[in-house]
Amino acid sequence: LESSLGEWSDGIPNTIKLKLRTATYDPDCTAVLMTIKVCNGKYGRTGWKGVNQNLLLGDEIVASLAKMNDSYAGEMDREERLYTVCHEFGHGLGLKHSDESFDNLDMGNCMDYTRSHENNMHPGRMNFMALKRLYRNVNRGGRTLRDDQLEIPGDVHIMDEENERLLAEFDEFAAYFSEPIKLSSDRGNDDSGWRILHKTDTAEIHEQQLGNGYSMRTSVLLA
């Protein structure tokens, strides 16, 4: 994880700066505001090896969880595990897949589908260019939470009315992270507000409208 985070943080163009913070073991993988939290554990034979969940307010990610399912660890070599961590972290930053064909040449980045994980274990220039379009250069502005703003618990800073609203509502909507992750085959007609955005043989992307401008987007790497 530390290696992957460093690679995402030090890309060219240099668009984002990430800070690693370790925590005590959290079996529930509880979401943290303005944070990408990465967890691993034996979640069972769920049908997924890795998953990313993004809580969005409008089109902005306000919290993200990436989970690695150790129940499939015995079926994954080191290269595939590194690929999976890098891939789900990329989704946590808001990136889509670079390519979804297994039959063309590998693109050399972890957002590309591949059967040869050793070729795609790291982020690549295509990913950093996509991040630049999303966030702009790290030293050229963009919407950030600055350290000189009013400090509140959890290292979150109030900067404007939107962030005050987010702080007040976060616990309510972050509770959706604790719901079981369902694949499209598990969904019924009673899943109000849920839709599948994209599906392939190896991955699914779901979205659920939560109300009040919030939504949950889940990217699943299938087992």
Side-chain angles (χ1 to χ4, degrees):
L1 172 60
E2 185 172 359
S3 174
S4 183
L5 184 144
E7 290 176 344
W8 280 113
S9 187
D10 295 332
I12 299 175
N14 189 359
T15 305
I16 56 173
K17 282 296 182 186
L18 303 170
K19 183 185 296 183
L20 179 65
R21 183 173 63 185
T22 57
T24 56
Y25 176 62
D26 175 12
D28 297 322
C29 197
T30 307
V32 179
L33 183 61
M34 298 298 186
T35 300
I36 301 175
K37 187 170 183 177
V38 182
C39 305
N40 67 292
K42 291 187 176 181
Y43 298 108
R45 307 291 287 187
T46 56
W48 54 266
K49 295 180 179 179
V51 65
N52 171 261
Q53 296 172 282
N54 286 335
L55 178 65
L56 295 98
L57 177 56
D59 60 357
E60 292 190 6
I61 299 171
V62 298
S64 181
L65 294 182
K67 297 180 181 178
M68 313 300 145
N69 192 348
D70 290 342
S71 296
Y72 294 95
E75 304 168 20
M76 304 168 67
D77 57 22
R78 174 180 177 274
E79 288 77 13
E80 185 176 0
R81 290 195 296 271
L82 289 172
Y83 169 84
T84 302
V85 170
C86 182
H87 185 94
E88 300 305 341
F89 204 95
H91 281 313
L93 294 171
L95 292 180
K96 300 179 180 179
H97 297 139
S98 302
D99 179 76
E100 295 184 341
S101 173
F102 289 95
D103 300 320
N104 54 8
L105 292 175
D106 288 330
M107 303 181 73
N109 72 76
C110 63
M111 302 309 294
D112 172 33
Y113 281 10
T114 182
R115 293 187 178 91
S116 302
H117 299 100
E118 66 275 10
N119 295 334
N120 283 8
M121 295 187 296
H122 312 285
R125 180 170 176 80
M126 176 182 291
N127 305 140
F128 297 124
M129 293 301 295
L131 288 175
K132 182 178 180 179
R133 290 191 292 271
L134 285 172
Y135 298 105
R136 293 183 282 175
N137 285 343
V138 70
N139 60 345
R140 293 191 180 179
R143 189 175 183 278
T144 61
L145 296 179
R146 303 195 311 269
D147 288 339
D148 59 349
Q149 300 297 325
L150 177 62
E151 186 168 344
I152 57 177
D155 295 329
V156 179
H157 302 84
I158 295 177
M159 168 174 137
D160 52 30
E161 292 182 1
E162 183 177 350
N163 283 327
E164 291 180 350
R165 169 194 170 189
L166 178 59
L167 182 65
E169 297 175 340
F170 179 71
D171 287 345
E172 174 187 353
F173 290 98
Y176 286 92
F177 280 112
S178 63
E179 294 187 354
I181 296 167
K182 295 182 180 180
L183 306 182
S184 59
S185 56
D186 300 325
R187 296 281 181 175
N189 294 328
D190 59 338
D191 283 313
S192 177
W194 176 89
R195 62 177 179 150
I196 188 162
L197 299 180
H198 191 65
K199 181 178 179 180
T200 69
D201 292 339
T202 59
E204 298 181 358
I205 301 176
H206 315 152
E207 184 178 74
Q208 185 174 5
Q209 296 299 321
L210 307 179
N212 209 21
Y214 289 86
S215 62
M216 183 73 74
R217 187 165 296 176
T218 303
S219 301
V220 182
L221 193 61
L222 299 174

